[in-house]
């Protein structure tokens, strides 16, 4: 690998064009040199191939207890560079420089020579397991827990690196450095690890994940909150990713994506002799799960026929509206605390209601025309409580469903005056987050959920198990259909989609066929007498199936697209992009084709 060494003479990112030239920029902040490859891909690959600016910041040197800490850290850096070059499809040649940071610190920064808008930054803080760090093991944990500056740690100097003098960090100092990086780089997307892991994962207690993963996410989130308050900053969308616990979830990448991701990770593995052996290194690359994904229920048509779409931006919710064919720009609505990305919109007696999950208090909160109201939680303070799904009774009362701390489903409902009642448990076990709620044939809402082995269904008569009998790769989507209900489920480890339809009270045998090519959630609507399914394509765009085959329609969703039916009976595909804007395309009624994307600020 060719490496041209230079010294930056000014703080900041000299390769970053002005926001007016390139308004999209991706920033990943991770703990170790393989975390992004294992847990954030194929998203990172897609961002690299988009041609936009991208920077990944590695907080630790990743040295663990290795005797030659500096040499092993240098090898892991080389692995990261090799993997990024492979993802970009260019030679593994980089330009390295010492990068000045806040308070006189410095980091190693490498720009990909053939694609200089791709940069890697290494802060080289001690890894959690290193007993040689100042104060011993748990360096990042101590920095996070210390807000008075009593504890500090010194960085490592990887062998052959471009920084000659170590830096010293306190917790607040690390936040200042990250805020400074954000101010210079001006990201529109912040990718982080899991700041609040699901406690069902039995390992790495009490954090239920590697402590460095958790702390890196918390430091990144803290810096992001400060950055958003700065004047003139572009809209910043945070996307968090599950880490170690993905190995217990069904494989949700299509075979082609698995092969591609495994190949990128193999480029890293050739440099890291410890990243081999355990079966987890085979399971992780076959999956990619968001900690709090957007879901596909964040848009709806109101009683007045207008379309509405919602998105979380920190502690506010953005709302777009379409009247006729014209979209109105986003109107921000302040919330008392930060929300998870997964919003659910219900249409009931009182019009539109949007519900979400608070990240700070872990409670469910809903907003209608009267404002936000807390529904509390079926398990107050529990991290396992998931994001909501909403559906209406025949009389217009809404019901909210969540995955609860027992691994089952709980429900809260409105009374005749619109007041929310207490939570009651519906039962179930091993339920994964991402529920689908829809009106049932008896006028009462029903719920569809995925376990790690099957799709389960709850109606007023109780639970159905193993429905349909396919291992799911993500949440099902249930769509009221003429004369019944259609359920669409991504099938684990195959890239396929299964469809099953209820008619006259019985369910059809699942019909399996090709899937969209990308991971995760599907959206589906009945429009014009046929089912239109919308999902992520293998290249990170949007693809639709209304005629029995998938057709790509472009776009660049951050996670999952949604679909609604407009007042003229046409399907509308929606996504929130890396620019923080809503993007919409409308089916034109000709063989499932869609109009070009329209971006709305």
């Amino acid at each position: 690998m060719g490496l041209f060494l230079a010294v930056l003479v000014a703080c900041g990112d000299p390769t970053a064009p002005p926001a007016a030239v390139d308004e999209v920029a991706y920033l990943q902040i991770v703990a170790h040199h393989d975390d992004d490859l294992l847990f954030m891909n194929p998203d990172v690959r897609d961002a690299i191939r988009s041609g936009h600016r991208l920077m990944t910041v590695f907080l630790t040197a990743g040295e663990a207890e290795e005797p030659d800490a500096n040499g092993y850290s240098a090898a892991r850096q080389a692995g990261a560079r090799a993997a990024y070059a492979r993802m970009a499809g260019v030679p593994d040649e980089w330009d390295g420089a010492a990068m000045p940071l806040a308070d006189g610190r410095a980091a190693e920064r490498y720009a990909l020579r053939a694609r200089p808008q791709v940069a890697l930054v290494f802060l080289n803080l001690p890894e959690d397991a290193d007993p040689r760090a100042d104060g011993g093991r748990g360096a990042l944990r101590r920095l996070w827990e210390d807000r008075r500056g009593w504890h500090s740690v010194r960085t490592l100097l990887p062998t052959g690196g471009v920084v000659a003098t170590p830096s010293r960090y306190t917790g607040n100092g690390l936040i200042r450095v990250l805020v400074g990086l954000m101010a210079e780089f001006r990201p529109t997307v912040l990718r982080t690890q899991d700041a609040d892991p699901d406690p069902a994962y039995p390992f790495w207690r009490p954090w239920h994940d590697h402590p460095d993963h958790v702390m890196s996410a918390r430091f990144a989130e803290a810096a992001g909150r400060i950055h958003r308050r700065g004047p003139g900053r572009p809209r910043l969308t945070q996307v968090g990713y599950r880490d170690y616990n993905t190995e217990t979830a069904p494989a949700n990448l299509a075979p082609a994506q698995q092969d591609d991701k495994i190949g990128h990770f193999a480029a890293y593995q050739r440099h890291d002799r410890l990243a081999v052996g355990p079966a987890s290194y085979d399971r992780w690359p076959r999956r990619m799960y968001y900690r709090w994904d957007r879901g596909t229920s964040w848009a709806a048509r109101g009683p007045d026929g207008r379309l509405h779409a919602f998105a979380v931006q920190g502690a506010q919710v953005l709302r777009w509206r379409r009247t006729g064919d014209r979209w109105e720009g986003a109107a921000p609505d302040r919330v008392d605390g930060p929300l998870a990305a997964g919003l659910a919109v219900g249409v009931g007696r009182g019009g539109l209601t949007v519900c979400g999950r608070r990240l700070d208090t872990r409670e469910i909160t809903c907003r209608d025309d009267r404002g936000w109201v807390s529904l509390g939680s079926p398990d107050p303070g529990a991290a396992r409580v998931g994001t909501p799904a909403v559906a209406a009774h025949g009389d217009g009362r809404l019901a909210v469903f969540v995955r609860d701390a027992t691994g089952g489903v709980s429900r809260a409902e409105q009374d005749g005056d619109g007041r929310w009642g207490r939570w009651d448990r519906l039962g179930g076990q091993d339920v994964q987050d991402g529920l689908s709620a829809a009106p049932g044939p008896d006028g009462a809402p029903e719920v569809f959920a995925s376990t790690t082995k099957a799709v389960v269904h709850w109606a007023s008569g109780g639970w159905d198990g193993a429905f349909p009998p396919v291992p799911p790769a993500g949440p099902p989507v249930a769509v009221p259909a003429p004369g019944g209900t259609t359920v669409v489920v991504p099938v684990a480890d195959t890239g396929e989609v299964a469809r099953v339809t209820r008619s006259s009270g019985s369910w059809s045998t699942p019909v399996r066929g090709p899937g969209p090519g990308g991971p995760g959630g599907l959206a589906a609507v009945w429009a014009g007498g046929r089912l239109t399914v919308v999902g992520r394509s293998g290249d990170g765009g949007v693809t639709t199936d209304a005629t029995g085959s998938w057709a790509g329609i472009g776009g660049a969703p951050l996670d999952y697209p949604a679909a609604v039916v407009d007042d003229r009976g046409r399907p509308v595909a929606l996504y929130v992009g890396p620019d923080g804007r809503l993007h919409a395309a409308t089916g034109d009624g000709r063989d499932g084709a869609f109009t070009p994307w329209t971006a709305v600020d």
Side-chain angles (χ1 to χ4, degrees):
M1 179 186 72
L3 197 63
F4 173 76
L5 303 184
V7 177
L8 295 178
V9 296
C11 182
D13 179 6
T15 70
V21 176
D22 185 357
E23 62 181 3
V24 170
Y26 297 89
L27 174 64
Q28 291 74 228
I29 298 178
V30 296
H32 309 119
H33 306 71
D34 57 354
D35 291 340
D36 47 342
L37 303 174
L38 289 172
F39 309 121
M40 296 180 176
N41 252 345
D43 279 1
V44 173
R45 177 209 67 178
D46 294 340
I48 291 172
R49 295 178 181 178
S50 73
H52 293 297
R53 292 182 293 127
L54 179 142
M55 182 167 71
T56 300
V57 178
F58 302 92
L59 296 191
T60 80
E63 76 285 5
E65 299 176 278
E66 285 298 289
D68 181 9
N70 297 336
Y72 180 58
S73 178
R76 297 193 72 175
Q77 285 191 9
R81 291 192 292 265
Y84 271 73
R86 179 184 170 112
M87 287 189 284
V90 299
D92 184 14
E93 299 173 353
W94 298 74
D95 296 331
M99 183 179 188
L101 301 173
D103 306 323
R105 302 178 181 91
E108 297 185 77
R109 181 186 182 280
Y110 297 87
L112 187 54
R113 186 172 297 170
R115 294 278 302 280
Q117 68 269 38
V118 176
L120 306 182
V121 174
F122 302 93
L123 298 190
N124 295 318
L125 288 157
E127 204 265 351
D128 185 80
D130 191 348
R132 297 156 295 192
D134 298 310
R137 301 177 193 269
L140 276 187
R141 283 182 281 172
R142 285 196 303 280
L143 294 188
W144 176 254
E145 292 164 357
D146 173 33
R147 283 295 176 267
R148 298 188 178 183
W150 291 348
H151 300 286
S152 65
V153 296
R154 186 175 55 179
T155 61
L156 278 74
L157 297 176
T159 302
V162 295
V163 172
T165 305
S167 298
R168 185 164 288 278
Y169 280 83
T170 62
N172 289 333
L174 177 54
I175 293 174
R176 285 195 299 273
V177 163
L178 296 178
V179 171
L181 285 171
M182 292 179 186
E184 292 289 336
F185 188 66
R186 296 176 62 81
T188 59
V189 177
L190 171 62
R191 293 191 171 116
T192 72
Q193 297 185 259
D194 189 349
D196 191 18
D198 189 331
Y201 190 61
F203 308 113
W204 290 92
R205 294 175 178 172
W207 306 104
H208 302 283
D209 205 320
H210 194 299
D212 284 346
H213 295 174
V214 178
M215 299 309 137
S216 73
R218 293 181 179 180
F219 274 114
E221 288 180 352
R225 287 192 293 271
I226 296 172
H227 174 75
R228 282 191 182 96
R229 296 198 293 264
R233 303 285 165 79
R235 192 176 289 163
L236 179 64
T237 302
Q238 180 181 328
V239 183
Y241 295 78
R242 288 170 54 184
D243 299 310
Y244 283 157
N245 61 30
T246 58
E247 68 175 312
T248 66
N252 68 336
L253 297 183
Q257 285 193 315
Q258 293 183 29
D259 292 344
D260 198 42
K261 183 172 178 178
I262 289 169
H264 299 323
F265 184 58
Y268 168 84
Q269 285 178 298
R270 285 192 283 271
H271 297 266
D272 185 352
R273 60 183 180 80
L274 299 183
V276 294
S280 298
Y281 281 111
D282 179 68
R283 291 192 288 264
W284 289 324
R286 302 182 188 278
R287 296 151 171 84
M288 185 191 73
Y289 281 90
Y290 302 107
R291 178 56 172 115
W292 302 110
D293 65 68
R294 194 181 307 278
T296 60
S297 300
W298 44 273
R301 188 175 78 224
D304 59 0
R306 294 195 295 177
L307 300 184
H308 301 255
F310 301 84
V312 173
Q313 292 282 341
Q316 65 180 13
V317 172
L318 304 181
R319 178 175 184 166
W320 295 269
R321 269 180 275 207
R322 195 184 86 170
T323 303
D325 287 330
R326 182 178 178 276
W327 283 95
E328 301 175 25
D333 184 11
R334 188 77 183 172
V335 192
D336 288 340
L339 295 180
L343 300 176
V345 184
V347 183
R349 182 182 300 173
L352 279 176
T353 295
V354 58
C355 296
R357 180 200 189 271
R358 290 271 295 268
L359 293 175
D360 50 355
T361 62
R362 299 170 172 171
E363 62 187 6
I364 305 302
T365 183
C366 294
R367 191 198 195 288
D368 57 20
D369 291 339
R370 296 169 293 185
W372 290 96
V373 60
S374 173
L375 278 60
S377 168
D379 301 284
R384 292 210 75 201
V385 173
T387 53
V390 183
H393 285 269
D395 61 6
R397 294 179 298 113
L398 292 178
V400 171
F401 303 86
V402 296
R403 193 272 302 270
D404 59 36
T406 71
V409 174
S410 290
R411 171 190 61 185
E413 294 188 320
Q414 290 179 322
D415 63 18
D417 295 321
R419 293 187 296 264
W420 291 97
R422 295 182 178 180
W423 292 95
D424 64 291
R425 298 191 190 277
L426 306 180
Q429 57 185 349
D430 189 35
V431 169
Q432 306 299 292
D433 197 20
L435 309 179
S436 179
D442 61 356
E446 55 187 350
V447 178
F448 300 83
S450 292
T451 72
T452 55
K453 297 179 175 61
V455 174
V456 292
H457 164 236
W458 182 91
S460 54
W463 285 95
D464 295 326
F467 163 82
V470 294
V477 55
V479 189
T485 299
T486 296
V487 179
V488 185
V489 187
V491 183
D493 210 23
T494 66
E496 294 181 331
V497 168
R499 306 183 191 204
V500 60
T501 300
R502 177 176 56 204
S503 179
S504 301
S506 61
W507 294 97
S508 67
T509 301
V511 176
R512 290 168 63 157
L522 300 169
V525 292
W526 276 95
R530 60 187 175 188
L531 184 71
T532 296
V533 185
V534 181
R536 284 267 299 273
S537 60
D539 62 1
V542 179
T543 185
T544 67
D545 179 4
T547 61
S549 61
W550 292 92
I553 59 173
L558 273 183
D559 44 24
Y560 303 138
V564 292
V565 179
D566 69 11
D567 56 352
R568 293 168 57 184
R570 301 173 299 179
V572 180
L574 304 165
Y575 73 84
V576 176
D579 53 4
R581 296 191 289 178
L582 177 72
H583 297 252
T586 302
D588 62 8
R590 293 181 288 107
D591 299 324
F594 278 73
T595 62
W597 292 103
T598 297
V600 190
D601 286 317

